[in-house]
Amino acid sequence: MPPILQRLQQATKMMSRRKILLLVLGCSTLSLLIHQGAQLSWYPKLFPLSCPPLQDSPPRPKHMTVAFLKTHKTAGTTVQNILFRFAERHNLTVALPHPSCEHQFCYPRNFSAHFVHPATRPPHVLASHLRFDRAELQRLMPPGTVYVTILREPAAMFESLFSYYNQYCPAFRRVPNASLEAFLRAPEAYYRAGEHFAMFAHNTLAYDLGGDNERSPRDDAAYLAGLIRQVEEVFSLVMIAEYFDESLVLLRRLLAWDLDDVLYARLNARAASSRLAAIPATLARAARTWNALDAGLYDHFNATFWRRVARAGRACVEREARELREARERLLRRCFGDDPVLRPAAQIRTKQLQPWQPSRKVDIMGYDLPSGRAGPATEACLKLAMPEVQYSSYLLRKQKRRGGVRLRPEPVLDNPPPRPIRALPRGHLGH
C-alpha cells in the first residue's frame, strides 16, 4: 500500500468522516469556527501528515489529569489559562485554593492538601502557584496524573522578579533607586535569608520546586544533581519559556490533546516601560552567579528539552509550532479585532479582563473585547484573556454551584513545620 494511503488509513481511526473530507479538501489551510458547548475550534483537529503518529501506535484518548507546577515569572499564567479552559470544556474539577490562601495555595508555605478548597476536591487539574511537595500532591491528585512545569532563563526571570515584586520583597525595597544593577553588584548587602518573600530574591525556581534556595552548587555540586534527579522523577515534561510554542507542542503530544487545546493569549505581561529592553551581559552574568542553583536547573533542563525535541523530530515540532502561531494569530484577530494589541489596565473596559497591578511602578497589560459583542463566541474569547484572579474566582463559584451544597471549609493548619528535601531513590520517569 502506498505511504500516503497508509497515513490516511491511520487518520480514519481517529477522525470522523467530516474531518477526513476536510483533509481531502486541504484542511491544513482552513480555519474552522465550530461552536461545541463553550469551546470554539479555530483550527482543524488534524495535524500535518509530515508528522504522523508512530506506526503501530493506536490513538490515545486525551489525558485528563494534569498537575502543573506554576513557577514565578515564567509564562506560567498563560499555561494555567490553557489548563483552566481545557478543564472547563471537559467538565473537569480544578483544584483551587482555600479562601484564606487567596489565589495561591498559601505560597510560600510548603504545599498541603489542606490548602485546597473542599468544593474542588478530588481534582483532575491543578495549576495555581504552590511550593512543591511531592507527597502532599500525590495524596491529592489521582493516580496517573501527569506532572509538568516550566522554567525560564534565570537572568531574564530575575529581572522580571525584581520589577514585579519590588514593593513586596524586603531585599528589593532596600536597594537605592530600585536599581537592579545596584542589587546585583552586592546582593548580600540587601538580602536576608529567611525574611518574608526572600525567595523572590534568590533562586526562586529552586524554591518553587521544593528545594533549598540557600544552597550553592559551587559549594555543593551534589545538591544540584540531587534536585535535578528529584525533578526528573516526578515531572514528565519541563517546558522552557523561551521556546513557549515548541513547549506547547510537546505538551499537547504528551497529553494526546489537539492543537486547538493549547491555543492561547499572552497573559500577565508587563508594559515595555516596566521592563528592561535588553539585559546587559554583565548584569546577566551577575544574575546567573547570584542565582547559581536556578542557572544549573535551567541549563540542565534546557538541554534535555532539546533532546526531547530531537526525539520527536525537530522539523515536525517546528512545523507544528508554526501552525500553532498562525492559528493563534487568527484566533486573536477574531476575538479582539483586526489589530489585537495588549492594553494597559486603565484602557480595558471589560472589568473581567482587567489584570491585577502589583504596584504603581509596574503596568500589567491585557486584552479587551470589542464593544457590542455577545454570545458563546464572546464567552470563549473572554475566557481566553481572563486574568488568573478572575478566572480562579469564577471557577470556584462554578464548582461550588455544581456541588449543590455550601461546604464548610476545612481548617488550615497554622505555621506548618518546614519539610526538608528528602533524598529520593531513582524511579521511573514519565512543552
Side-chain angles (χ1 to χ4, degrees):
M1 182 182 294
I4 184 62
L5 292 182
Q6 290 179 345
R7 290 196 290 269
L8 282 170
Q9 189 177 57
Q10 290 174 350
T12 60
K13 297 178 182 178
M14 298 179 286
M15 314 285 176
S16 65
R17 290 182 180 178
R18 182 183 181 186
K19 289 176 181 175
I20 293 302
L21 177 60
L22 289 174
L23 170 62
V24 174
L25 293 173
C27 72
S28 62
T29 63
L30 296 178
S31 177
L32 301 181
L33 175 55
I34 301 172
H35 177 233
Q36 300 171 338
Q39 181 182 10
L40 291 176
S41 181
W42 305 99
Y43 190 79
K45 297 179 182 177
L46 183 63
F47 305 108
L49 290 179
S50 59
C51 302
L54 295 175
Q55 290 187 355
D56 303 322
S57 176
R60 292 185 294 142
K62 292 183 181 182
H63 197 88
M64 298 292 185
T65 53
V66 184
F68 171 59
L69 178 61
K70 185 176 185 283
T71 49
H72 285 83
K73 311 315 298 174
T74 59
T77 300
T78 302
V79 179
Q80 179 193 58
N81 180 273
I82 290 171
L83 294 171
F84 279 1
R85 286 183 288 118
F86 181 88
E88 194 174 4
R89 287 195 301 270
H90 293 85
N91 200 33
L92 305 178
T93 299
V94 178
L96 295 167
H98 188 285
S100 63
C101 295
E102 298 183 341
H103 64 283
Q104 304 181 359
F105 288 110
C106 288
Y107 187 91
R109 294 157 69 180
N110 288 0
F111 176 75
S112 167
H114 290 297
F115 299 161
V116 181
H117 194 290
T120 68
R121 298 175 63 173
H124 300 91
V125 172
L126 177 145
S128 298
H129 277 304
L130 57 84
R131 189 181 188 209
F132 184 71
D133 185 295
R134 179 178 185 173
E136 285 292 305
L137 276 170
Q138 290 179 340
R139 184 161 74 92
L140 173 73
M141 300 301 297
T145 295
V146 171
Y147 290 80
V148 297
T149 190
I150 186 167
L151 307 184
R152 182 181 180 186
E153 194 283 314
M157 177 181 167
F158 193 75
E159 184 276 330
S160 183
L161 287 164
F162 187 87
S163 167
Y164 197 87
Y165 293 107
N166 197 271
Q167 300 302 303
Y168 299 91
C169 178
F172 295 158
R173 288 205 307 266
R174 293 188 183 99
V175 183
N177 302 316
S179 168
L180 176 62
E181 182 178 2
F183 179 90
L184 289 173
R185 192 184 304 121
E188 295 87 353
Y190 309 104
Y191 179 76
R192 309 283 188 273
E195 278 186 330
H196 194 48
F197 293 145
M199 77 295 301
F200 292 136
H202 196 205
N203 288 316
T204 309
L205 286 175
Y207 185 89
D208 287 352
L209 288 163
D212 181 353
N213 61 319
E214 298 304 322
R215 303 288 282 269
S216 169
R218 294 187 298 274
D219 302 328
D220 187 359
Y223 182 78
L224 173 60
L227 185 57
I228 287 171
R229 184 169 63 249
Q230 291 175 50
V231 173
E232 289 178 334
E233 286 169 352
V234 176
F235 291 90
S236 297
L237 175 63
V238 178
M239 298 184 287
I240 300 296
E242 284 74 23
Y243 306 100
F244 192 70
D245 293 328
E246 292 82 357
S247 292
L248 291 180
V249 169
L250 294 185
L251 178 67
R252 84 97 193 149
R253 286 170 171 249
L254 173 68
L255 300 175
W257 288 6
D258 298 316
L259 198 61
D260 58 351
D261 288 324
V262 295
L263 291 175
Y264 66 94
R266 187 182 175 200
L267 299 179
N268 208 33
R270 291 175 295 159
S273 59
S274 300
R275 64 179 188 269
L276 291 179
I279 303 174
T282 53
L283 281 188
R285 286 194 297 270
R288 288 178 62 89
T289 298
W290 171 242
N291 298 284
L293 201 55
D294 282 1
L297 287 166
Y298 178 85
D299 291 345
H300 173 86
F301 286 105
N302 185 41
T304 61
F305 175 86
W306 288 107
R307 288 198 290 270
R308 187 162 188 155
V309 168
R311 289 197 301 271
R314 184 159 183 165
C316 293
V317 172
E318 288 179 349
R319 174 168 179 171
E320 218 169 278
R322 184 171 63 254
E323 299 272 353
L324 173 62
R325 284 189 286 271
E326 292 170 356
R328 175 179 176 267
E329 288 303 315
R330 293 195 295 272
L331 171 60
L332 293 178
R333 287 195 297 271
R334 287 179 183 268
C335 278
F336 308 116
D338 293 335
D339 185 24
V341 294
L342 289 165
R343 305 171 183 275
Q347 296 180 16
I348 297 175
R349 299 181 304 273
T350 309
K351 186 175 181 180
Q352 292 166 287
L353 297 183
Q354 293 173 353
W356 178 75
Q357 304 296 304
S359 73
R360 293 181 179 179
K361 297 182 179 181
V362 179
D363 291 326
I364 302 301
M365 312 284 279
Y367 288 98
D368 200 5
L369 295 174
S371 59
R373 290 190 180 184
T378 300
E379 181 72 12
C381 293
L382 184 72
K383 301 291 178 56
L384 179 71
M386 189 174 286
E388 174 182 11
V389 174
Q390 289 95 315
Y391 211 156
S392 296
S393 299
Y394 163 80
L395 286 176
L396 180 57
R397 292 193 303 271
K398 183 177 181 179
Q399 292 177 170
K400 287 168 71 175
R401 288 195 302 268
R402 189 171 66 192
V405 294
R406 191 173 185 85
L407 298 173
R408 178 172 297 176
E410 293 185 2
V412 177
L413 298 177
D414 291 327
N415 300 317
R419 297 184 177 91
I421 289 291
R422 294 184 292 277
L424 298 175
R426 288 291 290 177
H428 67 276
L429 175 62
H431 184 53

